[in-house]
Amino acid sequence: KTYETQATQYNRVSLIRKFGTYLDSIGVKTYILPKKYYSEGNQYTPYIYTKAELAKFFAEIDNDKRPCRYACPYRRQAMPVIFRMFYMCGLRLSEVKLLKVADVDLEHGILTINESKNDNSRLVPMPDSLTERCRDFSKEVHLLSGEEDYYFPTFEGKPMKRGNFYENFRRFLWKAGISHRGRGQGPRIYDFRHTYAVHCLKKWAEQDKDLMAYLPILKTYMGHYSFRETAYYLRMTADVFPHIALKLETH
């Protein structure tokens, strides 16, 4: 389709190729698309937010006075918590979207992420400041909620739609003076997750932490399937912060 990115088309071609491989494995005569038959296109370069940009972005969220819509009655209360989860816990959009009341441990400050990417379930400790925000949010929104209710619900009690996230993200981005470079160019919501990982590695490198001991922690915390995904952030951190490149390359 004309509006699709090349990466989207590549993913579809990949599925067709795997389906052909499956048919062949059960004895069905079929054509299997060759590997690299279709180019994935240029890889997106993640946008790493600066501390100053993050401060402006969260200030705009906290000062938002826009009236809440019928479909999302708790938007003003939810958005400061949602976007801090993206950055402070490095969560994926789907992981935040599908959180339920039972998944947010307000006593110990731990999120339970169930069956995320690669069927990965994990526990994610929150910073104390975020835990306190969750407690305030729950007092205002979930006094009468059941454990299986969605933590960030729409008026009908369903999980908030992706459009709600993106519409608010673009609005706060604009108000914070952070330029959006166009469709497929970013910044994106997912870049908060990238920024979380890069900022963690930068901090640990500057503190002379043993990254070979800390990388498995980051891998588990972020729900990565392999170390290759986590190690990817070593190079990204060195690119964004050249002054610590030598430390990272040594590790």
Side-chain angles (χ1 to χ4, degrees):
K1 298 180 176 67
T2 56
Y3 58 81
E4 291 179 332
T5 64
Q6 192 164 344
T8 299
Q9 295 173 26
Y10 172 86
N11 289 337
R12 188 183 300 116
V13 169
S14 177
L15 288 171
I16 294 171
R17 183 181 182 280
K18 289 177 181 177
F19 181 57
T21 304
Y22 164 72
L23 291 175
D24 180 68
S25 72
I26 60 174
V28 177
K29 188 176 181 180
T30 185
Y31 173 72
I32 302 175
L33 285 165
K35 284 186 177 181
K36 299 183 179 180
Y37 172 83
Y38 194 89
S39 173
E40 189 175 1
N42 295 328
Q43 187 176 7
Y44 172 80
T45 301
Y47 184 91
I48 305 303
Y49 299 92
T50 67
K51 292 287 187 179
E53 287 175 331
L54 290 170
K56 290 179 182 177
F57 185 87
F58 288 121
E60 292 298 337
I61 294 179
D62 294 342
N63 295 325
D64 184 37
K65 299 296 188 294
R66 187 183 184 190
C68 297
R69 296 180 178 178
Y70 175 82
C72 191
Y74 308 112
R75 181 183 53 75
R76 273 207 308 270
Q77 299 96 321
M79 290 301 158
V81 181
I82 286 171
F83 281 97
R84 281 177 170 86
M85 282 185 177
F86 288 139
Y87 171 62
M88 301 174 84
C89 297
L91 298 184
R92 302 177 177 96
L93 189 151
S94 60
E95 293 171 346
V96 174
K97 177 177 180 283
L98 298 176
L99 276 175
K100 294 185 177 179
V101 172
D103 299 331
V104 184
D105 184 342
L106 298 174
E107 181 181 355
H108 301 101
I110 296 175
L111 301 173
T112 300
I113 306 299
N114 290 301
E115 298 177 4
S116 186
K117 186 177 179 181
N118 300 314
D119 293 326
N120 181 291
S121 297
R122 66 192 192 280
L123 300 177
V124 177
M126 293 185 286
D128 292 341
S129 61
L130 181 54
T131 301
E132 197 57 43
R133 283 183 177 271
C134 288
R135 288 171 183 153
D136 292 340
F137 178 77
S138 293
K139 287 177 184 176
E140 194 164 352
V141 177
H142 290 300
L143 281 178
L144 302 177
S145 298
E147 290 193 344
E148 289 302 304
D149 290 338
Y150 287 102
Y151 198 66
F152 300 112
T154 60
F155 186 81
E156 295 89 355
K158 297 178 181 179
M160 200 178 293
K161 295 180 179 179
R162 284 179 174 265
N164 295 129
F165 290 96
Y166 280 105
E167 178 187 339
N168 285 281
F169 168 66
R170 290 292 295 272
R171 185 165 59 86
F172 294 130
L173 204 66
W174 179 80
K175 294 182 73 174
I178 303 171
S179 176
H180 194 277
R181 297 173 290 181
R183 183 177 176 83
Q185 300 298 314
R188 310 170 304 175
I189 290 178
Y190 200 84
D191 291 330
F192 287 112
R193 178 174 164 87
H194 290 309
T195 302
Y196 166 79
V198 167
H199 285 182
C200 277
L201 288 169
K202 174 180 179 287
K203 179 179 68 176
W204 293 337
E206 290 176 339
Q207 294 173 347
D208 289 323
K209 301 291 187 182
D210 181 358
L211 294 188
M212 299 314 292
Y214 275 69
L215 276 176
I217 297 172
L218 185 63
K219 172 183 177 291
T220 303
Y221 190 88
M222 298 189 72
H224 287 159
Y225 180 71
S226 69
F227 273 106
R228 182 179 299 176
E229 296 173 87
T230 314
Y232 164 72
Y233 290 111
L234 287 171
R235 167 53 53 198
M236 192 187 300
T237 306
D239 290 342
V240 177
F241 301 106
H243 65 286
I244 62 170
L246 183 60
K247 287 185 178 181
L248 291 166
E249 286 172 358
T250 300
H251 283 287

